[in-house]
Amino acid sequence: MVHNGLDDVVVAETVLSDVDGAAGRLTIRGFALEQLAGQRSFEAVAHLLFEGFLPALPGPDAFARQLGEARRAVWHRVEPLLPALATRPVYDGMRVGTALLDDGTDLASALALLAAPAVLVPALLRLQAGEAPIAPEPGLGHAADVVRMLGKSGGEAALDCYLVTVCDHGLNASTFAARVVASTQAGLASSVLAGMGALKGPLHGGAPGPVLAMLDAIAAAGDAEAWLRAAVDDGERLMGFGHRIYRTRDPRADALKAAVRALPRTAGRVAFAEQVEATALAVLRQHKPGRVLETNVEFYTALLLEAVGFPADAFTAVFAMGRVAGWIAHAREQALTGRLIRPQSRYVPPASAAA
Ligand code: ACO
């Protein structure tokens, strides 16, 4: 039997996170998402994920300090190359910049990889906008430093909530890719780069930019229902809806909606998005009555990252900034407790050979 898409195939045991698709519940190391998002900092949750998987892991406060130092160290490593990296789309510049880091499996490697997207993404965006990049400030919280390096202010808590919300999510495609690489005992950078490759596609982390494009197109057209109906009639997928595991609303959507609502000047945008969301859900129910298609994490991600000050083409890179914590933890868990991942394929001979 061929398990196309590996639905329902269990290939790892993990203590890191659990996605209960039927109940719409995400648990991260024993905590419900709602107990972490907006409640604990990204660095505290990354520390939670790393516990037991990295030798010499210090306590949470020292870890946060070391992450600040790691941002500065990464900055010194990549700064001379930033202009060259900025000639590429920001996601690719981030990926290439991350590939410059050492491929170890120790705490220092983990910290550098956790820091890399946070340093690279704001710097590349500023260079692409014709502005000088801003060096990290190690004493700040991780999200606050990212917002400062972006040259913005006001969205620190929202970004922190976002990074926590997306830090880990069971065996999604990018985490699986990271674990496959880690199962060969390759280093953490190799695993993180595999995760980055998988996250980029629109069926995984590449959806929030298109969500914003969809909202703008609907605002310009004026009639949400007509626009959405025409899109699904044309066979298009509505970005920000549907999920392989959730058969109910993605709990991350609500965490992000609350964070976006707390930001100033987003009331009108959120109200419009809520209208579009309700209409899209009604259209999807009519269009695919046998299929549960609900709002996923990407819908409110788009609004939140827009409000923090990120351009739409950077949204997937900011996703990587959070998910890198999960990739590192899963890669270490796989390397320490798993075995080489090596599935089978069924050979289909050419028609002439089969005859
Ligand atoms: N809009 C319209 N139709 C949809 C959507 C959607 N957003 N999602 C699924 N469908 C339809 C498919 O066309 C398909 O119809 P069919 O059976 O007539 O062919 C059916 O629902 C099942 O689709 P699959 O692709 O098999 O379902 P899967 O579980 O693999 O899909 C996925 C999950 C890829 C996320 C899908 O819902 C999708 O493409 N959504 C839009 C993109 C998106 O929002 N991606 C971000 C996901 S969240 C994340 O990864 C972080």
Side-chain angles (χ1 to χ4, degrees), residues 202-204 237-238 240-242 244 284 288 291 293 296 298:
L203 299 192
H204 189 7
R237 290 178 177 220
L238 303 182
F241 298 91
R244 175 65 66 85
L284 286 170
K288 296 239 171 271
R291 173 112 199 150
L293 293 171
N296 67 42
E298 306 289 32

Side-chain angles (χ1 to χ4, degrees), residues 7 166 169 172-173 199 201-208 211 232 235-245 247 250 252 284 287-288 291-294 296-299 319 323:
D7 305 40
V166 300
H169 200 244
N172 58 86
L199 184 73
L203 299 192
H204 189 7
V211 166
V232 291
E236 283 176 33
R237 290 178 177 220
L238 303 182
M239 291 292 136
F241 298 91
H243 199 273
R244 175 65 66 85
I245 305 292
R247 289 298 168 244
D250 184 335
R252 299 170 298 176
L284 286 170
H287 189 76
K288 296 239 171 271
R291 173 112 199 150
V292 184
L293 293 171
E294 291 285 339
N296 67 42
V297 65
E298 306 289 32
F299 193 76
F319 192 166
R323 182 56 58 85

Side-chain angles (χ1 to χ4, degrees), residues 82-97:
L82 286 173
L85 297 177
T87 61
R88 317 180 63 140
V90 66
Y91 198 90
D92 297 339
M94 172 193 72
R95 187 161 45 85
V96 176

Side-chain angles (χ1 to χ4, degrees), residues 129-141:
E131 295 162 330
I134 299 171
E137 174 55 59
L140 288 179

Side-chain angles (χ1 to χ4, degrees), residues 216-262:
D216 289 342
I218 291 171
D223 184 341
E225 184 171 345
W227 193 98
L228 292 161
R229 211 171 279 290
V232 291
D233 285 348
D234 283 353
E236 283 176 33
R237 290 178 177 220
L238 303 182
M239 291 292 136
F241 298 91
H243 199 273
R244 175 65 66 85
I245 305 292
Y246 289 119
R247 289 298 168 244
T248 179
R249 196 177 163 78
D250 184 335
R252 299 170 298 176
D254 289 324
L256 297 182
K257 188 164 146 179
V260 125
R261 273 201 174 127

